[in-house]
C-alpha cells in the first residue's frame, strides 16, 4: 500500500479526484485527533514501524510532508518530500 493510499483512507473529506499536495493542511480534509490515531496505526502496520510517542503531536501531522518526515524517521531513512 502506498503512502498516499494510507493517508487518503484517513481523510474522509478528500474527494478522489483531488490531488493531495505535499503541503496541504489535512484538517481541511477531516483529519482530527481520532482520525490521526487511526492513521498512525495504519502507517505502523503498512510500513512495519513504530512511530515514537514523542513524534505524535499536531505539528507532525499537519501535512503529508510532515507525516512523511515522521514516517521516514521511524523507518530510519533520510527525510524527503512526500510524493
Amino acid at each position: 500500500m502506498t503512502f498516499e493510499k494510507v493517508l487518503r483512507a484517513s481523510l474522509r473529506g478528500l474527494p478522489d479526484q483531488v490531488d493531495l499536495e505535499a503541503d496541504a493542511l489535512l484538517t481541511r480534509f477531516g483529519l482530527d485527533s481520532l482520525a490521526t490515531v487511526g492513521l498512525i496505526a495504519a502507517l505502523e502496520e503498512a510500513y512495519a514501524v513504530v512511530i515514537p510517542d514523542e513524534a505524535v503531536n499536531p505539528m507532525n501531522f499537519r501535512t503529508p510532508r510532515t507525516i512523511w518526515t515522521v514516517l521516514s524517521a521511524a523507518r530510519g531513512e533520510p527525510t524527503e518530500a512526500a510524493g
Side-chain angles (χ1 to χ4, degrees), residues 15 47 79:
Y47 288 92
T79 58

Side-chain angles (χ1 to χ4, degrees), residues 3-26:
F3 175 71
E4 185 170 343
K5 285 183 182 178
V6 173
L7 189 52
R8 279 183 176 273
S10 294
L11 302 174
R12 66 184 177 276
L14 179 64
D16 291 338
Q17 68 275 15
V18 173
D19 288 336
L20 184 57
E21 300 294 328
D23 293 315
L25 293 177
L26 299 178

Side-chain angles (χ1 to χ4, degrees), residues 3-81:
F3 175 71
E4 185 170 343
K5 285 183 182 178
V6 173
L7 189 52
R8 279 183 176 273
S10 294
L11 302 174
R12 66 184 177 276
L14 179 64
D16 291 338
Q17 68 275 15
V18 173
D19 288 336
L20 184 57
E21 300 294 328
D23 293 315
L25 293 177
L26 299 178
T27 55
R28 292 181 49 213
F29 302 113
L31 190 69
D32 57 16
S33 58
L34 186 58
T36 300
V37 171
L39 174 59
I40 291 167
L43 289 169
E44 289 179 334
E45 182 177 329
Y47 288 92
V49 297
V50 174
I51 295 174
D53 290 342
E54 60 271 10
V56 180
N57 69 64
M59 292 306 293
N60 285 341
F61 288 84
R62 274 178 68 98
T63 69
R65 185 182 313 273
T66 59
I67 296 170
W68 183 255
T69 299
V70 169
L71 181 60
S72 294
R75 295 174 72 190
E77 299 175 350
T79 58
E80 298 177 15

